Amino acid sequence: MLESTENLCESVTMGFALAQPKTDWKEEVYLAQACKERFLTQSDLPELTDNGFFMAGLAELAEGYEIERVATTNHTLLLTQEGAGLLTLAERQYHLKPNTLTILPAGHPFRFELADNKKGWKMAWVLLKPGDKWLPLVANGQRVEHTHICEQVWSVMNLLHSEIGGRASYRKLFASELSRLMLGSANLAPSNSVLRVQSVFNDIESQLHLNWTVKGIAKQCFLSTEQLNRITKQLFNCSTQQRLIQLRMEKAVDLLYYQEWTIGMVAQRLGYQDPFNFTHRFRQYHGCSPREYRKRLFLGE
């Protein structure tokens, strides 16, 4: 993720020493009316908690923006995509230019603001919960480094924000991808593989009537069956075959609400040509037959 050399932050971000160390820190937050921010919170996205995030946001800042903290309990990351910010630390200042990552470990004061109120600043910010997971990222203290992931992070966070109230599987995927980007995986192929698996499962969910097989899904994802099962386990906490059954059995419950559909019609709609095979699988999954389940649904009517 990071191209790190001793003087990289100086050459990339124009860091310069303060004439006098800053000691008069205070808690301050100011956003001009022209500023826009979208928040990613744990209450809206519980998957953030699972991946070690406290909160995140997408910011498009103009006319005025100032954040100053005496000390924080979470690690702070800033990823500048466009425009520029100005970071003040105890003894140095940095111009935060596009394609830079600012790392501010918990417990230390800092201030960041618009470098030029007329030019604006487009950046993503992420708050990380302290823990062993993020130690490789924050161990070297406050710093600014060049990075190639700013646009990717913005895109993933935008997708994550769009899934507030949406599908949990998507949120899990995007939160996991954001975690990988933060930790700086050099090999993006696994991420691409995950995206392919997720994409194929989206197709499966909309075409459950087709004859899906583990071998066929693996071929469509350009993976071995072992790789497919590993990624499916990562995404859904079950094997590929179990995920297929899960999708069909959960959809079966929805279809049983349509009383005009016979059990045989429901079975065919879910890819079971033999209604008895469907009934057997449904009983294993739900503990009763489809007919019994339907009776329970409408018992109170």
Side-chain angles (χ1 to χ4, degrees):
M1 177 178 68
L2 305 178
E3 298 175 14
S4 181
T5 63
E6 286 188 12
N7 297 315
L8 183 57
C9 60
E10 296 266 346
S11 60
V12 171
T13 62
M14 297 173 58
F16 51 92
L18 294 174
Q20 295 291 333
K22 179 175 171 59
T23 58
D24 55 336
W25 298 97
K26 58 185 177 180
E27 295 289 332
E28 182 179 6
V29 177
Y30 170 71
L31 289 84
Q33 291 187 357
C35 293
K36 299 178 182 179
E37 276 193 293
R38 287 174 289 160
F39 291 90
L40 285 69
T41 64
Q42 294 179 11
S43 57
D44 288 329
L45 301 162
E47 293 76 13
L48 291 178
T49 304
D50 299 336
N51 283 275
F53 298 108
F54 177 73
M55 190 185 295
L58 297 163
E60 296 178 78
L61 310 169
E63 296 185 1
Y65 180 81
E66 300 171 7
I67 302 291
E68 186 169 324
R69 302 299 308 274
V70 177
T72 61
T73 55
N74 297 291
H75 309 307
T76 302
L77 305 183
L78 310 176
L79 296 106
T80 298
Q81 188 170 355
E82 297 176 8
L86 178 66
L87 172 69
T88 302
L89 303 179
E91 297 184 349
R92 301 187 70 81
Q93 282 189 325
Y94 298 91
H95 279 96
L96 307 178
K97 293 186 174 183
N99 299 314
T100 56
L101 169 63
T102 302
I103 302 170
L104 303 169
H108 302 282
F110 58 79
R111 175 186 176 89
F112 53 86
E113 58 198 295
L114 275 168
D116 186 330
N117 289 346
K118 296 181 180 180
K119 294 184 178 180
W121 184 17
K122 182 178 179 181
M123 60 92 163
W125 54 268
V126 182
L127 303 184
L128 308 175
K129 296 190 295 185
D132 292 342
K133 175 177 181 176
W134 305 116
L135 285 179
L137 191 59
V138 302
N140 293 326
Q142 294 176 313
R143 64 195 190 279
V144 181
E145 300 192 17
H146 183 78
T147 181
H148 64 272
I149 68 168
C150 290
E151 186 173 352
Q152 293 171 278
V153 168
W154 182 275
S155 297
V156 171
M157 287 176 59
N158 192 54
L159 289 168
L160 191 55
H161 184 272
S162 71
E163 285 300 326
I164 293 175
R167 297 183 183 183
S169 59
Y170 276 59
R171 297 196 302 268
K172 183 176 180 180
L173 170 68
F174 297 141
S176 177
E177 179 67 8
L178 184 61
S179 176
R180 270 191 293 270
L181 288 169
M182 293 295 98
L183 290 172
S185 173
N187 179 12
L188 295 180
S191 298
N192 293 334
S193 298
V194 169
L195 291 171
R196 289 200 302 272
V197 172
Q198 178 67 71
S199 177
V200 172
F201 269 111
N202 292 340
D203 291 338
I204 292 171
E205 191 169 357
S206 64
Q207 295 179 300
L208 290 171
H209 60 285
L210 298 182
N211 182 29
W212 296 100
T213 64
V214 174
K215 186 176 181 180
I217 296 170
K219 184 177 180 180
Q220 194 163 333
C221 294
F222 304 101
L223 298 170
S224 67
T225 56
E226 291 79 9
Q227 289 173 310
L228 172 63
N229 278 316
R230 177 179 56 78
I231 294 173
T232 305
K233 177 72 172 178
Q234 175 186 340
L235 284 173
F236 307 109
N237 200 32
C238 62
S239 69
T240 305
Q241 184 63 36
Q242 289 169 335
R243 180 58 178 168
L244 280 171
I245 294 170
Q246 184 182 69
L247 288 172
R248 284 176 163 139
M249 292 302 102
E250 290 177 354
K251 189 63 176 179
V253 169
D254 294 334
L255 297 181
L256 287 172
Y257 274 95
Y258 297 95
Q259 297 187 70
E260 65 273 20
W261 286 30
T262 66
I263 300 301
M265 292 170 65
V266 172
Q268 286 193 334
R269 176 64 183 81
L270 297 174
Y272 294 94
Q273 299 305 313
D274 184 352
F276 293 102
N277 185 21
F278 167 66
T279 297
H280 174 71
R281 181 68 69 186
F282 190 96
R283 189 186 298 277
Q284 282 186 322
Y285 194 89
H286 291 290
C288 64
S289 71
R291 198 173 305 277
E292 291 168 335
Y293 193 96
R294 175 174 274 173
K295 286 181 181 180
R296 295 176 188 176
L297 287 175
F298 301 101
L299 190 61
E301 295 186 359

